[in-house]
Each structure stands twice: as C-alpha cells, then as structure tokens.
Amino acid sequence: MSKRIVIVGGGYVGLYAALRLQQRLRSGEAQVTVVNPENFMVYRPLLPEVASGTLEPRHAVVPLRAVLSGTRFVAGRLTGVDTQRRVASVAPEAGPELELEYDELVLGMGAMSKLLPIPGLAECGIGFNSLAEAVHLRDHVLRQLEIASATSDPELRRCALTFVFVGGGYTGVEALAELQDMAVDVLEGYPEIDASEMRWVLVEAMDRILTTVSEDLAARAVSELRGRGIDVRLSTQLESAEDGLVRLNDGDSFRASTLVWVAGTKPPPLVKELGLPTDQRGRIVVDETMRVEGHPDIWAAGDCAAVPDLQKGGVCPPTAQYAVRQARRLGDNIAQRLRGGELKPFHYKSKGEFVTLGMNKAVGEMLGRKVHGRFAWTARRAYYATQIPTWNRTIRVLGDWLVGMPFGHDVVNLDSREEPRGAFQEAAGRRA
Amino acid sequence: MSKRIVIVGGGYVGLYAALRLQQRLRSGEAQVTVVNPENFMVYRPLLPEVASGTLEPRHAVVPLRAVLSGTRFVAGRLTGVDTQRRVASVAPEAGPELELEYDELVLGMGAMSKLLPIPGLAECGIGFNSLAEAVHLRDHVLRQLEIASATSDPELRRCALTFVFVGGGYTGVEALAELQDMAVDVLEGYPEIDASEMRWVLVEAMDRILTTVSEDLAARAVSELRGRGIDVRLSTQLESAEDGLVRLNDGDSFRASTLVWVAGTKPPPLVKELGLPTDQRGRIVVDETMRVEGHPDIWAAGDCAAVPDLQKGGVCPPTAQYAVRQARRLGDNIAQRLRGGELKPFHYKSKGEFVTLGMNKAVGEMLGRKVHGRFAWTARRAYYATQIPTWNRTIRVLGDWLVGMPFGHDVVNLDSREEPRGAFQEAAGRRA
C-alpha cells in the first residue's frame, strides 16, 4: 500500500522536503500531504524589501499549490498529533477538524517572536516575521509621515517621527536599514518634514550586531548605519514601553509611535503540547538524521527543531540557508526509510551571508570573502532572485526591481490596516 | 494676498482639479491644499483587475504627493464646513482637528455603497468600491477554494463555492467576470474541485444589465457570461441574506459564503450635514459651471454632485470619464474666477465605454462603434494604461500585464484579513 507522508508547515522545511520527495519517490510509492494555514510560503530574505516597497508583497511569496503539483495541499492548522494512532489533527479555516493518518510525519513549524516581560511591549510592539507584519510596517511608517506632516502638535510630530527597533540580528538590521532608506527617499514628497527631524534607533543588548557575520563586517554595518544618522545603541536594553514611552536601561527615554521587536524567536506553543522531547529552548530534539528522539516515524527540522551541527558543534543556526539543506536531506532520508535504505546525517557548512542595508548598500560574506557596498547588494539580489522557487517568481522579482530602478521608493501607503468590510458597515449606518 | 483653495477629496475630481490648477495658476497666485484620508487615489477602472490579481494593488493607485508636487497635501477627513467663516474642519489620523481657511472650496467627496434594508445584507455583504474591498474579495474567493478543498462537509463545500453578485451595472459585471475568470483559471491547482461545482450568480433587478452601453452589447455580455456557466438572473431581486442563506424573489434560495453588493451608490452622509442644497438623491446641487447654488465660493463635482448634463439633459452619469472632465473645467473656472474672467459651463459627450469580462474578453463602444472580444479587451487595456497619471504607473501597469501574460492567474491569497499585530499578540500569550 502507498505510504502516507504528512508534512506540517509550508515554510522552507515543508516546501523543500516536499519538493525533494516529489523528485525522489516513484509514482504511487507514497502520498505526500502538506498542511499549512496559508497557501503560500513567504520567501523570508525578501521581507525587508517588501517593507521598503521595492518588491510587491505577492512576488516575495511562493504559491505552494503551484509548486507542489504532485502533492496534496490542505489549508489548515495542526492542533495535535496522536503518536499511537499515527494521526495528525488539523483545523481547517472552516468546518469540522480533519484527521490525517500518517506513516511518516514531518514537523517544520518554524518559530514566532519571543517576547520578554517588558511593560508595554505586548501593547505597542510589532514583530517582523510575516508578510502581514512587513506590509503593515511599511504602511505604518508612511502613515507616521502623514501624521507628522498634518499635525500642529509638536509632541505628536516628534513621537510620529521616532522609530525604534529592538534587536541587532540580521532581521532587525535589515528591516531598520531598508525602512529608514525608504523614509529618507520619500521625504521629498513631504516638504513639511526635514530629514533631521526623523529619529531611527537600533537597540541591541550585546556589544555587537549581526553575530552571524564576522566582527569587522558587523562594525562596518554599524558605521554605515551611524553615518546615515541612525542611533545605534549597543549593550543597551529596552526597559519599558508603556503608552509609547520608550525607556532604555542607559537612562534615556523618549516617545515613539513605532516599536519593532526583533530580539529573538521561539517555537510555536503547540510544539510543547505534542509530547515530543524538547530542549531547554523548546525546540524538538532530533538526531543528526533529523528523526525525533524515540519516534522513528516523526521528523523535524528548521527553526522548531534542534538539529545537531556536525560542522561547528552545537545546534544549527535558525537560518533559511540551513533549513533548506536540512529539508533536502530530510526528504532523502524519508525516501531511504521507505525503501529500507540507510539514513544519512545532516552535514552543512554555511556558504556565507548577506545583509541588506537599503538600496545599493549591503555587507556580506561569500565563499570566505568579505564584500560590501553596491557589489554586495547586487550579489545579494542576484542570489535571492535565482533562489526563489519557480521561474514565475524569479521573473516577477526581477521585473519589480527593473521597473522600480528609475523611480526610487514609492510613497503610497495602502492602509492595509483598514477593515475591508468597514466601508460597508458604514454604508449600513453601523458606524458614525 | 495669495488665495487659498481647499480641495476636499483626492479622487478624480480632487486630483484632476488640482492638476489643472497647478497648470493654470501663476506662481504665488494661490495656495492649493488637497485633503484626503489616504495619500493615494484609486484608479477605479483597474479595480476588477486588482481583484483578479492581474494587477498589483499598488500599481492601480496614483500617489497623490508624487503627482501634486506644487500642492499642499493633508491626510485627513473633512468633518464640517463653516461657510460664514470660510473654514473647512479636518480630522487628521492623529492629533487635534485642523481648521483650513479657504477662499474657494472644492468638494469632490465621491460616493459610497447604497444599501437597501434587506435582512442580513449588512452582516454578510461586501461592496466593490475601494482597494481594500477589491483585495479582500480576491483573497476571500481564493480562501473559499481552500475551504472547499479541505473540508469533508458537503454543505460547507457547496456554500463556499457559491458566489453571488447583486447589481448588473459595470462595477458588478466586471467584478464578477474577472473573479470568475480567475477562479476557473486557478482551479488546476485544486485537483479536489471540479469547475462545475462552482456557482456564480449575477442578480439584477432590471430586465437588462450594463445600462451605460447599448442593448445589443449588453445582450452580448449576458450570453458571454451565460456561456461560461454564470447564472445571470434578470428582473430578480435579493429578498434576504440571513446567516448566509440567499433568498431571491423568484423563489430560489441557497447558501453562499460570498455576497457582493454593487447595486447603487449614494453620497457620503457628511454631505447632508454641510448645509448645502442637495437633490432628492442627496447630491449637492450645482449650476452648469459647477458652483454650488447660493455659495459662489464653493464648488462640487463628481459622484457627490448633481452636475447638469447639457448634452443629454438631466444629470451627468457618475463615471470616471465625466468626473475627470468636470474637474478640468472646474479648475479652469476657479482660475477664471480668481482673475475676474468668465466662467464656462460643463459640456461633454461620452466617447464610449469598455466593460472587461475577464482575460481577453470585453465588450465596449468606442467613438460610436461597437467592439467586443480580444480587440475590445486590448483597446481597454491600452486606454487605461495610458490614462493612469504618471509614467511610473503606466510602466508598472504594463509591466504587470507583460510579466503576467505567460503565467496566467496566481493562486496566492495573501490573507489581507489577517490582523498584522495578531502574531505579536499571540506571542505575548494574549491569544490561544
């Protein structure tokens, strides 16, 4: 009988494992089902460019149904796993729960923001993990410029023009750098605002940023950011953010309408409830073939799993580069297991990394060499454009870049915050 | 002293009147201020293509700040007009109200959905006037396909696959035709759904659709739609839509997850409260030069005004074509008034109209000739691409079309419904 492989999560792990299985499996050998709440995967390295408007949101995503043509797709959210009966329970967006039986189960559930118990953070912070957050942040920043230029209240104006990012990993640095670059660029449309009135602050608890690249490249990034007037505060922590009043542990405090929290992630809460072994950070414990300890028919990889790093020791870093390679190895290992073959451990050494700092600005390491400036930025674009799955997306991404080149950043804020049915409620007289 | 011209509304009337004044006025002759809640204008004829995903939402809008470079822009909502003191009160998104003094006031406030007191309509209907609604509708339709393909409940499946549009004007026909065309096209990604399971219904109270084109073209549109399996019900009305159960006055009733109401518009409620003369449909009464009766310093045009149609008699139809021409004449008349020149009446005869029925399908009239099929569709695209203000947008629109051509419709639903801060609330433990 054909085996049933259920893959939970449509991120890097889910997508690339399913793609690998599509290649490896003979027709009829197994039925692969991918479960994900959305029918797309966000190509995360492009999120900062979505936030700065250089890329259309839809072009930074991979349509799972189009890519996974031989694979069943179910739009839903995992609610639990019965490891005895080998059943994954899935809640679709509407209607009764589904029970998906499996012979092999793959967990690629990713990670979510890890908040610290800082007063006010939950009320006014926003993360930078999803497409909705990136699009919102772009609209939000542009909206602050509108608020500042329309108001006659100087305190509101200062507050609207202050943007705080907590976390100097590459997510925070890229998001801040791209958005600040955009904001400076669009200011020519706001004659009422002077660039010096904007205040961009990067708060990092450690004494350096970008721990995934070498120290001198990180230092170069800091001086590039500072050269643009960005207030980079190393060895500094957020103490509170009540009612928009940001207090730092260096004694400084100021009002800010924008607080982006990008200081760490954690596996989603469901992981804990599955009854699988987890490490002290809540990640699923797997062996070097990515099988879950004590559960030979369950696999996990990516940010939700603690995959041993056989090159450097410890656990693999939670980056896209590692997740993609883990997923491919995982796919191969499942194919091997179905045929009684030998499982292989996950071995990978990072090829380098790029950090975008805005249009034509980046730092990075590729193949052991340090690069920066326009060259690094172009190399980064070329790399990601060719890595995003399907030609359709590659062409659309290149098209956005090409068409955007002569025009610079765009000032339109589409107000994604608006309730689409609000206008109708208003027409019905339900709203003032 | 330099005169102050305040333009309320950034739609066709506001944008084109301001553009005309930019051209006509000498430097220092007047200060023009445009007030609009959003910093963009939606290029309405392209909304159906946004809904079908052929165009990126951002490419169907005109960035007001970029286009109106010599004009002051204030992001805010009009709350009232003091005609004695000549002051327009404006509520910005945040902070205290602004008082804008004017010498000339232009009202281009557009229109909103006009609902009938049909039980259930306000609860489950959605309009098709704004970008938010178009984007939502696209996501909503694609989400219904996901729901139908994931569920094991046959009734939920039928309900999810039933799409009802009420109103056979060109808004309703274009929205339905584009969305149905998209849905049929993307079904190849949903092997679980057969095209015959989808049910698309167009409900029109009159015995014909598309009253703005000739009867035989409208009849051609009906047979084209019926040929695609769309259930076009003429001389039929919606009786109720309680809990998603759609009841028509022909005795039929069925469940539908999608109910689009595009059966008429009305001026926004504020118009009534301004103390200006209005007609029985709530539109501001203006003379043929577009001055408001009894208020020589207030002007109105577009959907919120009853502009006499000197060609055909009665009042001008509420279409973009008329609004643009009214705005230009209005701008000229204000420039004349500032200089003590003679005001001219608004004279215009429609040049024709196109109705898109999906990819490569359209009907229309241009320069007195009836056209249909691929030719009409191509002519429509060429016309709108060149009419959308700024080269930036023309190129982006053409780029979307060009890049989209080999790929067909896209199945990605970006779930614009998602609360962007939801993930963060969840991370903070505020949500299950």
Side-chain angles (χ1 to χ4, degrees):
Chain A
M1 201 194 73
S2 169
K3 294 284 183 183
R4 294 151 307 179
I5 304 170
V6 172
I7 299 177
V8 176
Y12 286 105
V13 172
L15 173 62
Y16 284 88
L19 284 174
R20 197 63 156 209
L21 286 165
Q22 264 179 209
Q23 284 172 11
R24 288 278 181 275
L25 296 177
R26 286 182 292 265
S27 164
E29 194 173 0
Q31 164 70 46
V32 181
T33 303
V34 170
V35 178
N36 198 55
E38 290 98 29
N39 69 5
F40 60 86
M41 180 192 104
V42 179
Y43 195 63
R44 289 276 302 272
L46 296 177
L47 269 194
E49 297 204 43
V50 170
S52 70
T54 332
L55 268 189
E56 292 308 317
R58 198 146 54 101
H59 298 168
V61 305
V62 179
L64 294 174
R65 282 188 179 269
V67 176
L68 299 172
S69 52
T71 299
R72 183 179 166 213
F73 177 79
V74 174
R77 211 174 275 277
L78 185 75
T79 55
V81 175
D82 185 332
T83 55
Q84 297 298 315
R85 289 170 51 225
R86 293 184 167 186
V87 165
S89 305
V90 171
E93 172 145 344
E97 270 207 354
L98 306 171
E99 294 215 324
L100 303 179
E101 296 175 52
Y102 65 82
D103 296 296
E104 307 288 332
L105 178 67
V106 178
L107 300 173
M109 299 160 75
M112 61 195 293
S113 284
K114 185 174 78 182
L115 270 58
L116 296 181
I118 292 172
L121 175 60
E123 287 74 21
C124 64
I126 181 157
F128 196 78
N129 294 306
S130 69
L131 198 67
E133 287 170 333
V135 171
H136 169 79
L137 206 52
R138 168 187 162 73
D139 288 346
H140 176 82
V141 167
L142 291 169
R143 195 178 305 119
Q144 299 314 307
L145 300 183
E146 293 299 344
I147 289 172
S149 80
T151 194
S152 50
D153 176 345
E155 196 175 335
L156 173 61
R157 188 180 171 97
R158 259 196 308 276
C159 180
L161 293 177
T162 304
F163 309 92
V164 181
F165 289 64
V166 183
Y170 77 100
T171 307
V173 170
E174 288 198 332
L176 179 145
E178 282 277 344
L179 280 163
Q180 190 262 359
D181 198 49
M182 169 194 79
V184 170
D185 192 32
V186 300
L187 272 193
E188 78 180 277
Y190 298 81
E192 310 87 356
I193 304 176
D194 189 82
S196 67
E197 289 183 89
M198 287 201 301
R199 185 175 184 187
W200 292 79
V201 186
L202 178 64
V203 177
E204 166 55 51
M206 286 195 289
D207 62 357
R208 62 163 292 189
I209 63 170
L210 298 171
T211 49
T212 47
V213 303
S214 67
E215 271 195 57
D216 53 341
L217 267 184
R220 185 184 284 275
V222 169
S223 56
E224 149 80 22
L225 295 176
R226 285 188 173 147
R228 282 153 62 179
I230 296 167
D231 183 356
V232 181
R233 308 245 182 146
L234 302 176
S235 309
T236 307
Q237 286 174 299
L238 177 67
E239 278 197 337
S240 69
E242 284 170 300
D243 300 323
L245 180 67
V246 169
R247 280 182 192 283
L248 304 178
N249 70 345
D250 61 6
D252 202 1
S253 73
F254 45 84
R255 297 207 166 270
S257 295
T258 309
L259 176 61
V260 184
W261 177 265
V262 273
T265 61
K266 65 178 182 188
L270 180 66
V271 165
K272 236 184 334 210
E273 298 159 25
L274 295 180
L276 302 176
T278 54
D279 71 359
Q280 77 289 355
R281 293 177 61 177
R283 295 172 298 196
I284 301 168
V285 178
V286 296
D287 65 19
E288 70 276 5
T289 69
M290 283 163 290
R291 276 209 286 192
V292 178
E293 216 173 62
H295 294 270
D297 51 1
I298 307 185
W299 311 71
D303 293 5
C304 73
V307 180
D309 186 341
L310 300 182
Q311 292 287 335
K312 290 189 166 184
V315 168
C316 292
T319 69
Q321 211 178 128
Y322 278 84
V324 169
R325 273 71 180 193
Q326 288 167 2
R328 289 186 184 141
R329 166 59 47 216
L330 198 161
D332 286 343
N333 279 344
I334 289 183
Q336 285 296 310
R337 192 169 126 91
L338 295 186
R339 296 162 188 171
E342 198 193 342
L343 306 189
K344 286 195 185 146
F346 174 68
H347 261 292
Y348 179 67
K349 185 166 173 294
S350 169
K351 296 278 186 293
E353 198 152 336
F354 293 108
V355 182
T356 173
L357 299 174
M359 196 73 92
N360 292 316
K361 298 174 274 287
V363 298
E365 276 156 341
M366 49 189 283
L367 309 166
R369 286 184 50 206
K370 285 160 194 166
V371 289
H372 60 89
R374 198 187 169 95
F375 173 75
W377 180 83
T378 310
R380 175 182 176 279
R381 280 201 156 185
Y383 176 75
Y384 288 131
T386 53
Q387 289 299 303
I388 192 168
T390 79
W391 273 103
N392 180 328
R393 253 52 195 180
T394 298
I395 289 171
R396 286 176 189 265
V397 166
L398 292 174
D400 277 358
W401 285 339
L402 197 67
V403 170
M405 245 177 243
F407 297 119
H409 291 97
D410 197 57
V411 67
V412 166
N413 104 51
L414 291 187
D415 249 352
S416 68
R417 214 184 41 157
E418 191 195 337
E419 221 312 308
R421 293 200 61 253
F424 211 67
Q425 297 299 311
E426 199 176 334
R430 301 284 164 95
R431 222 160 66 164
Chain B
M1 200 193 76
S2 168
K3 295 285 183 181
R4 296 151 306 181
I5 304 170
V6 172
I7 299 177
V8 176
Y12 286 104
V13 171
L15 173 62
Y16 283 88
L19 284 174
R20 196 63 156 211
L21 286 164
Q22 265 179 207
Q23 284 171 12
R24 288 278 183 274
L25 296 177
R26 287 181 293 264
S27 164
E29 195 174 359
Q31 164 69 48
V32 182
T33 304
V34 170
V35 178
N36 197 55
E38 291 98 30
N39 70 5
F40 60 86
M41 181 194 103
V42 180
Y43 195 63
R44 290 276 302 271
L46 296 177
L47 270 192
E49 296 203 42
V50 170
S52 70
T54 331
L55 267 190
E56 293 308 318
R58 200 146 53 100
H59 297 168
V61 304
V62 178
L64 294 175
R65 282 187 179 271
V67 176
L68 298 172
S69 51
T71 299
R72 184 178 165 215
F73 177 80
V74 174
R77 212 174 274 276
L78 184 76
T79 56
V81 174
D82 185 333
T83 53
Q84 297 297 314
R85 291 170 51 225
R86 292 183 167 188
V87 164
S89 304
V90 171
E93 172 144 345
E97 270 206 354
L98 305 172
E99 294 215 323
L100 304 180
E101 295 174 51
Y102 64 82
D103 295 298
E104 306 288 333
L105 178 67
V106 178
L107 300 173
M109 300 161 72
M112 60 194 293
S113 285
K114 184 176 78 184
L115 271 60
L116 295 181
I118 292 172
L121 174 60
E123 288 73 21
C124 65
I126 181 159
F128 196 77
N129 294 305
S130 70
L131 199 66
E133 288 171 333
V135 171
H136 169 80
L137 205 52
R138 169 186 160 73
D139 289 346
H140 175 83
V141 167
L142 291 169
R143 195 178 306 118
Q144 300 314 308
L145 300 184
E146 293 299 345
I147 288 172
S149 79
T151 194
S152 50
D153 175 345
E155 194 173 338
L156 173 62
R157 188 179 171 98
R158 257 198 308 276
C159 180
L161 293 176
T162 304
F163 308 92
V164 180
F165 289 64
V166 183
Y170 77 101
T171 306
V173 170
E174 289 198 333
L176 179 145
E178 282 277 343
L179 281 162
Q180 190 261 1
D181 197 48
M182 169 194 81
V184 170
D185 193 31
V186 300
L187 272 192
E188 78 180 276
Y190 298 82
E192 311 87 354
I193 304 176
D194 190 82
S196 66
E197 289 182 90
M198 287 201 299
R199 183 173 186 189
W200 293 78
V201 186
L202 178 63
V203 178
E204 166 56 52
M206 286 194 289
D207 62 357
R208 62 162 293 190
I209 64 170
L210 297 172
T211 49
T212 48
V213 302
S214 66
E215 273 196 57
D216 53 339
L217 268 183
R220 185 184 283 276
V222 168
S223 58
E224 150 79 23
L225 296 177
R226 285 189 171 145
R228 282 150 65 178
I230 296 166
D231 183 356
V232 181
R233 308 244 182 148
L234 302 176
S235 309
T236 308
Q237 286 173 299
L238 178 67
E239 277 195 339
S240 68
E242 285 170 300
D243 301 323
L245 180 68
V246 169
R247 280 183 192 281
L248 304 178
N249 72 345
D250 62 5
D252 203 1
S253 72
F254 44 85
R255 297 207 165 271
S257 296
T258 309
L259 175 62
V260 183
W261 176 264
V262 274
T265 60
K266 64 177 182 189
L270 180 65
V271 165
K272 235 185 332 209
E273 297 160 25
L274 295 180
L276 303 175
T278 54
D279 69 358
Q280 78 288 356
R281 293 175 63 176
R283 296 172 297 195
I284 301 170
V285 178
V286 295
D287 65 18
E288 70 275 8
T289 70
M290 283 163 289
R291 276 209 286 191
V292 177
E293 215 172 64
H295 295 270
D297 51 1
I298 308 185
W299 310 73
D303 293 6
C304 73
V307 180
D309 186 339
L310 299 182
Q311 293 287 336
K312 289 188 164 183
V315 168
C316 292
T319 69
Q321 212 178 127
Y322 277 84
V324 168
R325 271 72 180 194
Q326 289 166 2
R328 289 187 184 141
R329 166 58 49 213
L330 198 160
D332 286 341
N333 279 346
I334 289 183
Q336 284 296 309
R337 192 169 125 92
L338 295 186
R339 295 162 188 170
E342 199 195 341
L343 307 188
K344 287 194 186 146
F346 174 69
H347 262 292
Y348 179 67
K349 187 166 172 293
S350 168
K351 295 278 187 292
E353 200 153 334
F354 294 108
V355 182
T356 173
L357 299 174
M359 197 72 96
N360 291 317
K361 297 175 274 286
V363 298
E365 274 155 341
M366 49 191 282
L367 308 168
R369 286 183 50 204
K370 287 160 193 166
V371 292
H372 59 88
R374 196 185 171 97
F375 173 74
W377 180 84
T378 309
R380 176 183 176 277
R381 281 203 154 184
Y383 176 75
Y384 287 131
T386 52
Q387 289 299 303
I388 192 168
T390 81
W391 273 102
N392 180 326
R393 256 49 196 184
T394 299
I395 291 171
R396 288 177 189 266
V397 166
L398 291 173
D400 277 359
W401 285 338
L402 197 68
V403 170
M405 244 177 244
F407 297 120
H409 291 96
D410 197 58
V411 68
V412 167
N413 105 51
L414 292 186
D415 249 353
S416 67
R417 213 183 44 157
E418 192 194 335
E419 220 314 305
R421 294 200 60 252
F424 211 65
Q425 297 298 315
E426 198 175 334
R430 301 284 165 95
R431 222 161 64 166

